[in-house]
């Protein structure tokens, strides 16, 4: 079947902004982009007020975290938690999720999060999760989203002592073998929609021998690796103490500073480390809202100055990728003290072509013949955009996910006229919310929710 899209504007990072184009989609690919209206027997989508873009790619996310911690990990005050938020709330709750949620519940919560992403123009997502949360893979498939699932490996599990300091213990299994099983079950190959990669949690929680093994296994399977790097001072101190060097140098020495590796955060990296990442051709996914939540700016202006391949991720704070892109753009301006840091075209390039290249996909991220038909369209007809002087700035400065009218992956329409076609959105939302509520009740029963946090819940935490 052939589909012709006739938007008011089309944009991609190589061809720039175009008007009056007709985009022909056939067999999952963009067959042609022409200025003459094609005389084809085809279904047509005529949208003179709309901006057509390559589908947005979320380069670092934890789908379950957004619904799990929504509203409860925000506005943390001194004394609310016994230690660092990662060790006293996020990781312990992650442990309970891993042991107490059924596969069905994990799937329901993940699907609810993915639905939110899809509705903001996200057609692809790199998600990092514990191996037990594998139902994520099936739900992403069911919604029709492109996914790169990178389950965690650990050779040391991170916990917390009563005084709030982190502790490390040996797990029974690292997760490596389980990832190979998932790969055999679900991976669709280098050009597939569903991909399985490796997600070593960090250079502090994975021994060098395991990281080297992951590097070799990923190369052999032509798949990606994603790892948190210079995420927090505890990681940096531990790597320094054990190996006598910085996290980035350490990753280079174990083979994981190269194309095909997506580093997450780079929050505490030095300028020399950013330059090393850029020089090695690795990519960096930055997640501005995740750190803003604890009062910090991610160093976007410095990352940009280093010229590294930058992508943007939501890290499981929100799945609204459009909101995250706006945040990134605003933060970069504030940090650089200029009005041009991470402009609208620049930030859209990060979320489209650069993210695609970071994932080794030169057939994604452009509105051009031969590319996969992963496309989204935002209607700019409403008052919040009018008059449309510059559609890219209108979208990044004033845009709302609610104005997404079309989303497709390999030509399959997932959302049309604002309605999700691949799922019953109301039912997904109901089931996802119920799964998360039960999780918090179970965590409270086990005494895992600090009292000051428990007080905030607007639903009964017991029963
Ligand atoms: Zn992360």
């Amino acid at each position: 079947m052939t589909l012709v899209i006739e938007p008011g504007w089309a944009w991609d990072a190589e061809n720039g902004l175009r008007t009056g184009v007709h985009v022909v989609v056939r067999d999952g690919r963009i067959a042609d982009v022409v200025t003459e209206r094609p005389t084809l027997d085809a279904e047509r989508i005529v949208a003179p007020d709309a901006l057509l873009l390559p589908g947005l790619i979320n380069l670092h996310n934890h789908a379950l975290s957004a619904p799990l911690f929504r509203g409860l990990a925000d506005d943390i005050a001194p004394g609310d938690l016994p230690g660092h938020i990662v060790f006293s709330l996020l990781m312990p709750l992650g442990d309970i999720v891993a042991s107490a949620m059924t596969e069905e519940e994990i799937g329901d919560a993940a699907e609810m999060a993915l639905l939110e992403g899809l509705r903001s123009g996200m057609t692809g997502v790199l998600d990092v999760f514990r191996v037990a949360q594998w139902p994520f893979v099936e739900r992403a498939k069911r919604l029709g989203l492109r996914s790169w699932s990178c389950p965690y490996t650990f050779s040391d599990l991170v916990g917390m002592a009563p005084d709030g300091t982190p502790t490390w213990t040996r797990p029974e299994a690292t997760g490596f073998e389980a990832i190979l099983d998932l790969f055999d079950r679900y991976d669709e190959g280098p050009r597939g929609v569903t991909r399985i990669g490796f997600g070593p949690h960090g250079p502090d929680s994975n021994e060098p021998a395991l990281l080297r093994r992951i590097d070799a296994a990923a190369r052999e399977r032509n798949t990606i690796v994603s790892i948190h790097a210079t995420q927090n001072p505890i990681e940096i101190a531990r790597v320094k103490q054990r190996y006598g060097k910085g996290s980035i140098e350490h990753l280079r020495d174990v083979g994981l500073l190269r194309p095909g590796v997506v580093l997450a955060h780079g929050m505490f990296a030095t300028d020399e480390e950013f330059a090393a990442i850029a020089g090695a051709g690795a990519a960096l996914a930055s997640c501005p809202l995740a750190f803003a939540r604890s009062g910090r700016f991610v160093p976007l202006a410095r990352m940009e100055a280093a010229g590294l391949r930058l992508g943007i991720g939501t890290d499981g704070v929100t799945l609204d990728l459009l909101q995250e892109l706006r945040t990134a753009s605003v933060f970069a301006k504030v940090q650089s003290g200029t009005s041009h840091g991470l402009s609208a075209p620049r930030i859209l390039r990060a979320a489209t072509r650069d993210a695609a290249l970071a994932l080794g996909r030169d057939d994604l991220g452009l509105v051009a013949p031969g590319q996969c038909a992963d496309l989204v369209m935002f209607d700019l007809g409403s008052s919040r955009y009018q008059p449309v002087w510059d559609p890219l700035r209108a979208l990044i400065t004033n845009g709302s996910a609610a104005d997404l009218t079309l989303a497709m992956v390999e030509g399959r329409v997932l959302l049309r006229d604002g309605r999700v076609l691949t799922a019953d959105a109301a039912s997904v939302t109901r089931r996802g919310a119920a799964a998360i509520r039960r999780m918090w009740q179970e965590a409270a029963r086990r005494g895992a929710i600090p009292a000051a946090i428990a007080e905030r819940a607007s639903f009964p935490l017991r029963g």
Side-chain angles (χ1 to χ4, degrees):
M1 215 206 53
T2 304
L3 175 70
V4 179
I5 308 170
E6 306 181 7
W9 305 269
W11 177 90
D12 72 36
E14 285 184 8
N15 299 289
L17 191 68
R18 290 168 287 178
T19 55
V21 296
H22 307 261
V23 178
V24 182
V25 173
R26 192 182 297 127
D27 299 330
R29 298 261 160 184
I30 297 173
D32 220 343
V33 181
V34 291
T35 48
E36 284 279 291
R37 192 168 202 262
T39 53
L40 286 168
D41 179 24
E43 188 194 342
R44 283 170 202 274
I45 298 178
V46 181
D49 287 327
L51 169 65
L52 183 76
L53 300 169
L56 305 179
I57 299 172
N58 189 340
L59 204 58
H60 182 76
N61 189 55
H62 309 282
L64 279 180
S65 296
L68 188 62
F69 298 115
R70 185 161 285 155
L72 283 153
D74 296 304
D75 298 342
I76 300 292
D80 284 354
L81 297 177
H84 191 284
I85 184 168
V86 169
F87 308 108
S88 63
L89 189 67
L90 308 187
M91 299 294 280
L93 259 290
D95 289 341
I96 291 176
V97 167
S99 66
M101 261 179 124
T102 66
E103 287 174 1
E104 194 66 18
E105 286 175 319
I106 289 167
D108 287 347
E111 192 172 355
M112 178 171 74
L114 288 169
L115 185 73
E116 184 191 347
L118 167 60
R119 285 169 143 173
S120 75
M122 180 188 91
T123 57
V125 56
L126 189 168
D127 213 272
V128 183
F129 51 81
R130 295 172 192 234
V131 174
Q133 294 160 8
W134 62 267
F136 167 92
V137 182
E138 289 194 344
R139 300 304 180 103
K141 254 171 100 84
R142 192 189 291 183
L143 278 175
L145 289 167
R146 198 177 280 287
S147 64
W148 290 264
S149 292
C150 297
Y152 281 134
T153 57
F154 292 95
S155 45
D156 296 275
L157 284 174
V158 190
M160 194 191 64
D163 66 355
T165 56
T167 59
W168 282 271
T169 51
R170 282 285 143 110
E172 282 169 30
T174 61
F176 180 81
E177 305 294 335
I179 294 173
L180 297 187
D181 287 346
L182 275 185
F183 185 91
D184 292 341
R185 242 166 95 196
Y186 290 109
D187 189 79
E188 295 176 356
R191 303 277 147 181
V193 170
T194 300
R195 298 238 51 200
I196 306 294
F198 295 83
H201 176 267
D204 52 335
S205 53
N206 283 260
E207 300 247 303
L210 178 59
L211 293 175
R212 286 201 179 90
R213 215 170 147 209
I214 287 168
D215 172 46
R219 285 175 192 268
E220 194 183 315
R221 287 165 180 77
N222 196 354
T223 193
I224 62 156
V225 179
S226 186
I227 182 166
H228 294 115
T230 68
Q231 178 178 210
N232 58 55
I234 295 164
E235 168 212 313
I236 293 169
R238 188 157 201 253
V239 170
K240 185 94 193 160
Q241 178 220 331
R242 290 183 116 190
Y243 313 114
K245 50 193 151 182
S247 289
I248 302 301
E249 189 186 350
H250 178 57
L251 287 174
R252 189 194 63 205
D253 292 348
V254 295
L256 290 178
L257 200 67
R258 58 170 174 83
V261 176
V262 178
L263 307 175
H265 304 315
M267 182 65 198
F268 296 92
T270 63
D271 287 340
E272 291 69 31
E273 287 178 314
F274 284 141
I277 295 168
L284 185 71
S286 183
C287 309
L289 281 168
F291 289 90
R293 174 139 89 172
S294 40
R296 288 179 180 278
F297 277 127
V298 292
L300 285 158
R302 288 174 46 228
M303 292 171 185
E304 180 67 350
L308 51 78
R309 178 159 283 153
L310 178 69
I312 301 296
T314 52
D315 202 39
V317 175
T318 173
L319 264 286
D320 184 337
L321 193 48
L322 186 59
Q323 182 186 346
E324 194 79 43
L325 296 184
R326 174 176 307 132
T327 304
S329 174
V330 170
F331 281 11
K333 288 174 172 60
V334 174
Q335 285 165 6
S336 64
T338 71
S339 54
H340 54 78
L342 291 193
S343 65
R346 173 66 189 92
I347 200 70
L348 283 167
R349 169 159 67 86
T352 56
R353 188 59 169 173
D354 284 1
L357 295 176
L359 295 160
R361 294 296 299 258
D362 59 4
D363 60 342
L364 280 177
L366 298 177
V367 183
Q371 289 274 300
C372 289
D374 288 25
L375 297 166
V376 294
M377 197 159 69
F378 288 90
D379 183 83
L380 308 184
S382 83
S383 55
R384 67 187 303 145
Y385 306 98
Q386 292 296 320
V388 180
W389 179 257
D390 176 331
L392 298 187
R393 269 91 192 185
L395 182 68
I396 293 301
T397 307
N398 298 99
S400 162
D403 295 314
L404 182 75
T405 56
L406 179 74
M408 65 167 66
V409 170
E410 285 201 355
R412 180 184 180 198
V413 179
L414 315 184
L415 178 148
R416 178 92 188 257
D417 299 329
R419 207 168 68 81
V420 175
L421 304 184
T422 46
D424 174 347
S427 151
V428 169
T429 306
R430 216 169 28 244
R431 285 183 285 115
I436 297 293
R437 268 198 303 273
R438 194 187 76 77
M439 211 51 261
W440 278 102
Q441 286 161 346
E442 178 62 23
R445 203 180 60 75
R446 298 186 188 191
I449 303 182
I453 300 297
E455 279 168 19
R456 302 179 184 183
S458 68
F459 56 88
L461 268 180
R462 282 174 203 283

